[in-house]
Amino acid sequence: MEILNASLVDWSRAQFAMTAMYHWLFVPLTLGLGVIMSVMESLYVKTGNEEWKKATQFWMTLFGVNFAIGVATGIILEFEFGTNWSNYSWFVGDIFGAPLAIEGIMAFFMEATFISIMFFGWNKVSKKFHLASTWLTVTGATLSALWILVANAWMQYPVGMHFNPETVRNEMTDFWSILLSPVAINKFFHTVLSGWVLGGLFVVGVSSWYLIKKRQIDFALKSILVGSIFGLVSALLLAFTGDGSAYNVSQRQPMKLAAMEGLYEGKSGAGLIAIGVLNSEKKSYNDAVNPYLFKIEVPKLLSLLAYRDADAFVPGVKDIIDGGYQTKDGLALSFAEKQASGKVAIQSLANYQKAVSVKDTAEATLQKAQLEKNFKHFGYGYLDKPEQLIPNVPTVFYSFHLMVILGMYFIALFALVIYYNYNKKFENAGWLQWICLLSIPLGYVAGELGWAVAEVGRQPWAIQDILPVQAAISGISSQSVQITFFLFLVLFTALLFAEVGIMLKQIKKGPEGH
Amino acid sequence: MITYSFLQHYWWFIISLLAGILAFLLFVQGGQSMLFSLSKTEDERRLLVNVLGRKWEFTFTTLVTFGGAFFASFPLFYSTSFGGAYWVWMAILFCFTLQAVSYEFQSKPGNVFGARTYRTFLFANGLLGTFLIGVAIATFFTGSDFSVNKGNITSQFAPVISQWGNPWHGLEALLNLRNLSLGLAVFFLARSQALLFFINRLSNEVLEKRSRKVLWINAIPFVVFFLIFVIWTLFSEGFAVDPTTGIVSLEKYKYFTNLMEMPVILGFFLLGVVGVLYGIGRSLLSGKFKSGIWYSGVGTIVTVCSLLLISGYNNTAFYPAFPNIQSSLTIFNASSSEFTLNAMSIVSLFIPVVLIYIFYAWRAMEKKRTDIDDVNNDSHAY
Ligand code: HEM
């Protein structure tokens, strides 16, 4: 039997994170640009203006290049659940597999079928049929985001299931509560909107480049009009749903919230940090070192956002480990208590299996009851010390704050572009055009940071409270994972270079060269 | 009456059907493996890339859906096989990743590595993708060295439920001649189907003639390797499950018995084989016959589906473990809960809708055969 070591867990996480980060370089643009080009094609069909068709086809070419590489990275992600998280796949496959299958049946086929009409059907099908195909392609992409985000949300907030000791896995009991979980709904909107914002930034930024080069003025202004309005609406909604995300986190993953704010000692009426710098001297959660070197805080805002009450108590890292504060379900347990309960749960499962194998029904019933009582802390039984419960605070803290700052910046930027454009001054505002161009990468950065908050912030959990990453793993050697990690890293990087190369060439060529 | 057992059988049927459809759609890979050998000029090569390029996403999506559906319905397979036969699956994934970008990137300026590189990627996907999928499917009959112990989850230091018995993690399947024969059969079948597809879709006399010519040298090895695999499998030991105790044992002629005891499947199996042979045979004998792909395509779907059905129905372990045969996966011990299978069955009613719009879209796009002028006039040509 292969004994698991930390290195295997780390490499498996690294491989998954790397694949996900690459995947997320491409998906948001697919989502955002997809909607924008669909809107443009709708304008074309409605007005009959060939300029709109030209614009649609131009953005569609970029969409295609980007789409292909999103697909390429996506297939790896799906199968990595099996290849690298084999235990996880059994332990919760009964619930987690369903959204993946539905994604394939309902979303991917829609995407794959209509994308070929969208690309190759301009002269083969009617205008309306073509337009419908374009919208259906984007709808397929968005539905696929829905299902995979439902799956992700379920890991953060497991609902609609119960543990069956006979099969040693969690089983689905309520499909709708999984699909309609508030975390899933909010995650879907926040994530898809982040793609829309990127789409807006991309279209406005690329079009600004044409203005800087004094080319394609009409095309560029048309694109900027659509891109900036779409971007602003999306950015406002994004901030609104971001607030919903933070509320969900506070209710269900208090440790993640504490890490997002670098909050070690909880307090009532807690303020929200607007800008802060962490103190690297802080080595342990209970060493009494001030965690911040510097911070600017908005008083009481964190309590208000997290609990919808300006005076609510927000627990810090130390509180969550020590327990003893009031929550809406009563007094919070300490790490040690949860750990003890988790160990009882795991032991009862072992005893249950033994009892069943010797057909001792009375004992089996007893152990099963014991297991059920303690199951909600099952995952804590795998942890040894309280430090394992704390995610990497600096990563989560800086990622969160930078994401929010960027979110505010995008709102301001789109508003400014719309204002200038409305007053017919954008064409001559070279400085603003440069800012728009240089802001494109920031949209990518913000999205990656968001995932860092969500995924680093939930460590050590593969499934919140139920299964830590070290118990979710496959029985392979860490060398094997290292090899595939580097193979994929090289491959994805090479493909990324190629993608960027093609994009730049296509942009240089412009809609005329199309 | 929808019982748990019915649902497990239903879902094994869906999985088998998806595998059949995938086997048919692998003609795209088969075509990719002949990109260089079948074409002599750049125009011809572009034409091949473009007719295949309009279909690649169907194959790819079917593969992804096959994975997702397998996960949802038989999660123990997903965790045991993917985590265990790590290298085989990783190799398959790797070459499909290469494929996904190659059509879109190969002819675009600025693609860094040049058209030839991407076409080589397509070639590699055609070669490895078909062969390795065939080998992996063969292990459904020949078995793999793994053990499953759900009790392991309670062990603090090695909580892994499914363990692979050797450090080769799947590569050992390549040493089994029966696995290799199915791998090669799938490879040559995919190529034969690709040729039938070209005959059907291209309006290019040179390529059509050439396709008919090389059909011989692909169809014969296909038939040979296929027969080796099927005969060998039908007359060797199979993995039988005792329906009351769940105990697995080796039974002589198990798969042959399964065919005999399930005459409907036998009928479909034979029909499928006849369909494939008819499609290929008539295309070989008549220079005018262009519809071979439909006969052999439907035949492939039905044949592969029937083969997988006899690996899982009639109290057979569909993913056998060897030598620890008691760890073998059956449609009963590897399936999802009744609740999930039920929910997923409702979702599966959506599959006919998908098939209808695929059919409709295909029809709308394929009104006439493709020649190089179509490619040159297409704003999105690859
Ligand atoms: C404007 C203020 C914003 C707030 C308050 C906010 C809040 C949040 C929170 C709390 C999470 C973690 C959710 C979880 O762990 O479940 C999150 C995740 C995320 N954010 Fe933001 N965010 C904002 C802006 C942005 C921007 C500008 C982008 C990108 C353009 C972005 C993209 C993401 C992504 C991709 C995720 C990961 C997916 C998810 O968990 O929803 N966010 N955001």
Side-chain angles (χ1 to χ4, degrees), chain A residues 24 149 156 183 186-187 190-191 194 197 238-239 242-243 245-246 249 253 256 260 400 403-404 406-408 410 443 446-447 450-451 453-454:
Chain A
W24 200 248
L149 291 166
Q156 321 258 357
V183 177
N186 199 87
K187 204 174 251 298
H190 191 63
T191 309
S194 81
V197 167
L238 182 64
D243 168 63
S245 298
V249 169
Q253 298 176 305
K256 189 193 273 181
M260 279 157 57
F400 175 64
M403 168 177 64
V404 175
L406 286 171
M408 301 300 156
F410 296 149
W451 280 113
V453 177

Side-chain angles (χ1 to χ4, degrees), chain A residues 78 86-87 94 169 381-382 484, chain B residues 64 78 86 153 156 159 161 337:
Chain A
E78 169 175 348
S86 134
N87 250 18
D94 195 55
R169 65 167 172 202
Y382 293 100
T484 49
Chain B
V64 173
Y78 205 79
Y86 190 77
I153 195 87
Q156 280 272 340
I161 290 173
S337 66

Side-chain angles (χ1 to χ4, degrees), chain A residues 179-196:
Chain A
L179 175 58
L180 301 175
S181 123
V183 177
I185 302 290
N186 199 87
K187 204 174 251 298
F188 170 69
F189 284 111
H190 191 63
T191 309
V192 169
L193 284 163
S194 81
W196 291 11

